[in-house]
Amino acid sequence: MSDYDEWIGFERTATDTVSERLAEHYRLTLDAMLADGDDLPGVHWCLAPDAYPSADLGRDGHPRTGLFLPKLPLPRRMWASGEMTIAEGLRTGDTVTRVSTITDIRFKSGRSGDLGFVTVEHVYSAGGATRIREKQMIVYRDDPDPAKPQPAPPQADAWQTVRQATVETTSTLLFRYSALTFNGHRIHYDHPYATGVEGYAGLVVHGPLQATWMQNMATSLLGRPPRTFAYRGLSPLICGAPAIVEARKGDDRLELRVRNGDTNVTTMQANAT
């Protein structure tokens, strides 16, 4: 752990604008899943994406580790979970400054092997005020061992939903969202890499896209952007499977999930207030 102490507190700042082009392409990509109104829930994940020369990319198409994210001794990276507080949403024309700080690095062993977790805190400001605070966790994993098949994820339980929608996941949808976010991760477009190197059953639907569906559904049900939104990835959603986006009422919050319509496995869950 001491090898990574110097990364704690590492910070960078980026600025971007929710341009009319970006807003229009965002709306077209989300299509029926976009909430009504001027706010664009989830558009902050499209702003100021990491952009490096080709020489600075890793084998997965992401910027190589050691530039902003630390170079942990585990080759695979994925979006694990996060918690957001939202003072006000983002709209077309907003110029947004994001300050990102690495706040924690830790390791643990799980059923699938060794794991490394990096926590990054983001603060998004516009118009002189903080709009969104997000604590995001990125997980590093080892390459899969074909001799050790992963345990099957549990089936989703039955929900009494207040809203449900189905999204057809296609390679075109994945391409469009990757373009919005300048995401070069090869698991979203390179089938031989996704299956042969990282061990997935096919192309993988982006975690932020699934979280965006849930955030927009929560906004529609609440009649405003949620004040808090926490999300967690549970299982990969493979392109081609219908994504069932669902919400139900909890005691003091909305509970949301994305479910694989073919396997009835929950791929991502969230709650919103």
Side-chain angles (χ1 to χ4, degrees):
M1 183 64 224
S2 60
D3 293 340
Y4 302 98
D5 284 348
E6 63 185 24
W7 288 91
I8 304 299
F10 191 52
E11 179 182 290
R12 66 177 176 182
T13 301
T15 300
D16 202 354
T17 299
V18 185
S19 67
E20 291 187 6
R21 182 207 62 80
L22 172 61
E24 179 64 12
H25 289 187
Y26 187 75
R27 291 187 179 98
L28 292 172
T29 301
L30 285 192
D31 200 15
M33 292 305 298
L34 184 70
D36 292 334
D38 294 331
D39 291 314
L40 298 168
V43 78
H44 68 289
W45 287 316
C46 301
L47 296 175
D50 291 334
Y52 288 90
S54 297
D56 283 337
L57 302 182
R59 70 167 197 183
D60 59 4
H62 268 317
R64 61 178 173 81
T65 53
L67 296 172
F68 175 66
L69 292 174
K71 188 175 183 179
L72 303 191
L74 297 162
R76 299 166 66 202
R77 281 175 287 171
M78 62 194 65
W79 213 64
S81 63
E83 300 174 357
M84 298 166 52
T85 57
I86 304 167
E88 186 179 350
L90 298 177
R91 305 176 186 89
T92 306
D94 283 336
T95 296
V96 182
T97 297
R98 183 189 66 218
V99 179
S100 304
T101 309
I102 295 175
T103 59
D104 190 40
I105 301 171
R106 62 184 60 208
F107 295 88
K108 72 175 187 179
S109 294
R111 291 186 304 169
S112 57
D114 293 333
L115 302 171
F117 294 92
V118 177
T119 302
V120 184
E121 295 190 6
H122 305 284
V123 178
Y124 295 82
S125 302
T130 296
R131 300 283 188 91
I132 299 170
R133 291 183 179 272
E134 180 178 18
K135 180 184 291 186
Q136 188 180 84
M137 186 174 291
I138 299 162
V139 62
Y140 293 64
R141 305 175 67 178
D142 211 341
D143 283 329
D145 182 351
K148 296 180 180 179
Q150 299 299 306
Q155 296 287 291
D157 58 352
W159 272 21
Q160 184 174 351
T161 62
V162 294
R163 185 162 299 181
Q164 184 183 88
T166 300
V167 181
E168 296 300 327
T169 63
T170 65
S171 58
T172 301
L173 173 64
L174 270 59
F175 165 80
R176 285 159 70 109
Y177 191 74
S178 287
L180 277 174
T181 56
F182 202 64
N183 185 342
H185 200 171
R186 294 168 64 187
I187 63 172
H188 304 307
Y189 61 87
D190 185 338
H191 192 276
Y193 173 84
T195 57
V197 177
E198 299 222 10
Y200 293 107
L203 298 179
V204 179
V205 179
H206 309 69
L209 179 56
Q210 296 179 63
T212 294
W213 294 334
M214 293 188 289
Q215 193 178 344
N216 276 270
M217 182 173 282
T219 298
S220 295
L221 290 168
L222 294 169
R224 55 165 174 78
R227 303 292 181 242
T228 65
F229 183 79
Y231 56 86
R232 185 162 72 95
L234 300 176
S235 183
L237 176 61
I238 301 303
C239 181
I244 313 298
V245 188
E246 300 174 312
R248 69 177 179 182
K249 290 183 178 179
D251 292 338
D252 57 354
R253 61 186 181 177
L254 281 174
E255 297 176 355
L256 304 107
R257 70 182 179 186
V258 179
R259 180 166 53 86
N260 184 320
D262 286 342
T263 64
N264 193 38
V265 168
T266 300
T267 58
M268 182 166 279
Q269 65 184 22
N271 60 71
T273 61

